[in-house]
Amino acid sequence: PPDSFQIHMGHELTDSWVVTDKMEPLDDIYTQMGWDTAFPKGVLDIVSYDGKPYAVPANIHRANVLWYNKKVFSDNGLQPPTTFEDFFAAADTLKAKGITPLAFADAEGFEAIQTFETTAIGVLGAEGYAGLWTGHTAWTDPRVTDTLNTYKRMLGYINTDYAGLTWDQANDLLISGKAGMTIMGDWIDADYTSKKFADYGWTTTPGTAGIYDALSDGFGLPKGAKDVEQVKNWLRMIGTPEAQDVFNPLKGSVPVNVFAGNGNYDPYLKSAIADWKSQTVVPSLAHGAAASEEWLGAISDAMAVFMIKRDVAATQASLQQACLEARVCK
């Protein structure tokens, strides 16, 4: 194996690498570095299996962010939407002016899944959404029906060429003023910076105020690595406030370590750092934290059909079947 490699925290880490006995536990490093208190409990839960951590996260990205073009909103007398009612009202106003309300992409396949998950968080709340992945929230729940109906309605406001666009190409519609809003993770903040576009604003996706839909790039120690001590040095380093404050402003993400946050962060990232330290953390579905890779694959298949047919009942049945096959639902 390589001495270390990037992996998303959560089930992508534990199901693919930990339960197959391919990774070494890192509890000794966590204790030595004090990360049991420097990393939030939500992160400790997601990087751990049977009480032991198996990866050191270098960053945290947020999936539940709605971005908007400030000039488009100002010209049309709009305020950033915080509820689904606000979103649909703003979308109707923009559509009436010939502006695409929601810039959307799905060329890479994760975008539709991510928008579905943020919609689910907005409808079910943090506890209800988290329960989908533990069996505490049934996929037959009427709130899941509501989620799919809400998502279907949102899809009525997207650009027709979404299937051929990547997330950054959809973002170009917002930058040019051809679209008013887009829903995407906060790596889009780095896209704005690289394209020297500053006239953007942000808010959480509808209904998700106070909730941080998190994903993370982490590194671990594979069994059989040749330079174990060098890997441990690497892992110790990337978890420090100093390293995270160098890396994250460039990545467009925030530090996991709550004692970091003193780097050259832009206004969005500063706001996200404050949110990260105080809000409820839930795991991202699209980016490997919430569900096993096999389960995510089945959900992705269901969503791909949903994007074409928009059949709520059939999609909910497919999602329930996927949960049964994942041995989470009974």
Side-chain angles (χ1 to χ4, degrees):
D3 280 358
S4 192
F5 60 94
Q6 183 270 342
I7 188 76
H8 287 133
M9 70 177 183
H11 285 274
E12 184 178 314
L13 164 69
T14 57
D15 291 9
S16 297
W17 301 101
V18 177
V19 300
T20 53
D21 199 32
K22 291 181 170 66
M23 303 294 281
E24 298 283 1
L26 304 174
D27 45 316
D28 58 337
I29 294 179
Y30 267 67
T31 299
Q32 177 190 12
M33 301 299 292
W35 292 338
D36 293 328
T37 55
F39 296 169
K41 184 180 182 302
V43 168
L44 296 174
D45 291 342
I46 297 171
V47 301
S48 297
Y49 183 79
D50 279 348
K52 293 181 180 292
Y54 283 87
V56 177
N59 65 348
I60 288 291
H61 275 300
R62 186 176 202 168
N64 61 317
V65 190
L66 183 147
W67 309 86
Y68 60 94
N69 183 304
K70 284 185 175 181
K71 185 176 188 305
V72 169
F73 265 52
S74 177
D75 288 349
N76 291 280
L78 298 174
Q79 296 296 318
T82 58
T83 67
F84 287 110
E85 291 76 12
D86 292 342
F87 173 84
F88 290 122
D92 284 334
T93 298
L94 293 170
K95 189 173 183 178
K97 297 292 183 67
I99 301 168
T100 298
L102 183 65
F104 195 85
D106 202 30
E108 296 178 78
F110 79 87
E111 300 95 335
I113 309 301
Q114 183 173 298
T115 308
F116 166 70
E117 81 183 54
T118 62
T119 306
I121 297 168
V123 173
L124 288 106
E127 184 177 354
Y129 168 79
L132 291 172
W133 318 115
T134 63
H136 288 92
T137 301
W139 285 90
T140 54
D141 192 299
R143 294 173 297 171
V144 177
T145 313
D146 189 15
T147 295
L148 290 166
N149 279 317
T150 302
Y151 190 18
K152 178 180 179 178
R153 186 179 173 189
M154 292 171 70
L155 294 174
Y157 294 95
I158 65 175
N159 43 293
T160 57
D161 60 348
Y162 71 89
L165 299 183
T166 56
W167 63 267
D168 53 313
Q169 291 172 325
N171 194 36
D172 288 339
L173 297 176
L174 185 148
I175 291 172
S176 68
K178 294 178 181 178
M181 300 176 281
T182 194
I183 291 173
M184 186 46 57
D186 53 11
W187 47 91
I188 213 170
D189 184 63
D191 193 47
Y192 290 131
T193 300
S194 69
K195 293 172 179 174
K196 296 180 171 55
F197 179 69
D199 201 23
Y200 65 96
W202 62 87
T203 185
T204 50
T205 52
T208 68
I211 303 171
Y212 210 106
D213 183 17
L215 56 137
S216 173
D217 301 299
F219 292 83
L221 174 58
K223 289 190 172 181
K226 292 180 180 179
D227 290 312
V228 173
E229 286 309 310
Q230 289 285 44
V231 176
K232 288 185 176 181
N233 287 337
W234 158 247
L235 296 176
R236 291 185 189 100
M237 186 270 288
I238 62 173
T240 63
E242 295 80 5
Q244 299 210 342
D245 281 340
V246 170
F247 173 70
N248 282 287
L250 301 175
K251 181 66 165 64
S253 48
V254 305
V256 180
N257 195 310
V258 297
F259 300 110
N262 298 309
N264 188 28
Y265 295 95
D266 67 19
Y268 164 74
L269 291 173
K270 288 179 180 177
S271 73
I273 289 170
D275 289 348
W276 172 246
K277 293 178 180 180
S278 62
Q279 296 188 349
T280 301
V281 176
V282 296
S284 169
L285 166 64
H287 303 279
S292 68
E293 289 188 284
E294 183 178 2
W295 191 4
L296 173 57
I299 293 172
S300 298
D301 291 343
M303 281 294 110
V305 176
F306 179 74
M307 292 300 298
I308 298 169
K309 296 187 175 181
R310 313 284 167 91
D311 187 327
V312 169
T315 302
Q316 189 165 5
S318 295
L319 294 172
Q320 166 66 7
Q321 182 61 34
C323 186
L324 289 169
E325 292 174 359
R327 300 182 180 86
V328 173
C329 294
K330 296 179 180 179

